[in-house]
Amino acid sequence: MPAIDPDLIPADLFPVIDALCATGAQLSAVIARGPLGQSLGAGVGENSDGDQQKALDVMADEMFEAALKPAGVRHYASEEQEVVLTLDAAGPYALAIDPLDGSSNIDVNVTIGTIFSIFDAVADPTASFLRPASEQIAAGYIAYGPQTLLAVTFGAGTLLYVLDPETGRFVLASEAMVLPVAAKEYSINASNRRHWTAPVLAYVEECEAGETGAKGKTMNFRWVGSLVAETHRILTRGGTFLYPSDARKGYEKGRLRMVYEVAPMAFLVEQAGGQATDGKTPILSLQAGALHERCPLVFGSAEEVARIAALHG
Ligand code: FBP
């Protein structure tokens, strides 16, 4: 029995999506048990970027790697691993994954997720991923929250599936998610305010000014600290998300990785009618120069993203 409704999934990609969903359902059960199971948030080391790895980061990576091996994935690039792995030398796909996004929320029962991006594989493992984001053939996330759900695009709209806990299957909930053009909410880690660039500060000040400022309306503020949760909220009811470059050492290109986080979220959001930029250039026309390279990310409701781009000149 497949782990997802097959009807709207391209047949050749179905084994990959099915393997992602089957693993997502297993992970969802592990996460739901929280402290009743093993210590998911315990620190277990550092990945190649110097980020602290938690037990669930490593467990999720191992589970996805094992499940994707027989599913047609030739090249597997994980945020948790330094280099690209070859899973199936004859497989047609290159899959990049952030197995567990939002690790700081593992221990506090707040939504976390898995993000993935799929390209057609080329011979060179790393070159398979260092391509314009517009060349992705599929991208999506699984959110582990009050509901476990999958948002996915194959380049013709953004689909939403919800895990039915009674059957363990992902069931179609929306054939076409629509990200509202206008926004009433914005998201940025405001504790970094003193490090922001002038355009980012100008945008936030416009939001804070509310009905007395240029926007003429109140903007609500939200920050979860899980990109997947933030993206799902914005896909559902509009808003903006910013993780810009700032003046901190190591944040010259923001925090998020182009291959594992920025490119897939940009593809999903644009397929739902939103926009994604690094401030000046649409993300979909950018490509990473290195596997773990970071990239500033601004995405969300089209009107707001256009305003942020205008402030960047
Ligand atoms: P991880 O992949 O290590 O979880 O980092 C990504 C992330 O948690 C995003 O989900 C989130 O948007 C961001 O980092 C939060 O960063 P900060 O702690 O600087 O606000």
Side-chain angles (χ1 to χ4, degrees), residues 243-245 252-254 256 262 277-279 283 294-298:
Y243 211 121
S245 53
E252 296 79 5
K253 291 185 169 187
L256 304 172
V262 174
T277 172
D278 69 351
I283 298 290
R294 294 164 200 262
C295 180
L297 175 60
V298 172

Side-chain angles (χ1 to χ4, degrees), residues 47 51-52 57 79-80 98 100-105 115 188-189 191-192 223-230 241 243 248 251 255-257 261:
N47 64 19
D51 289 343
Q52 207 208 21
D57 286 317
E79 192 185 280
E80 299 305 329
D98 179 355
L100 207 286
D101 170 72
S103 346
S104 69
N105 284 322
I115 308 170
I188 184 167
N189 184 337
S191 69
N192 299 321
W223 185 252
V224 179
S226 285
L227 176 61
V228 165
E230 233 93 55
F241 173 96
Y243 211 121
R248 287 173 295 165
Y251 286 78
R255 173 186 170 101
L256 304 172
R257 277 39 173 219
E261 293 157 322

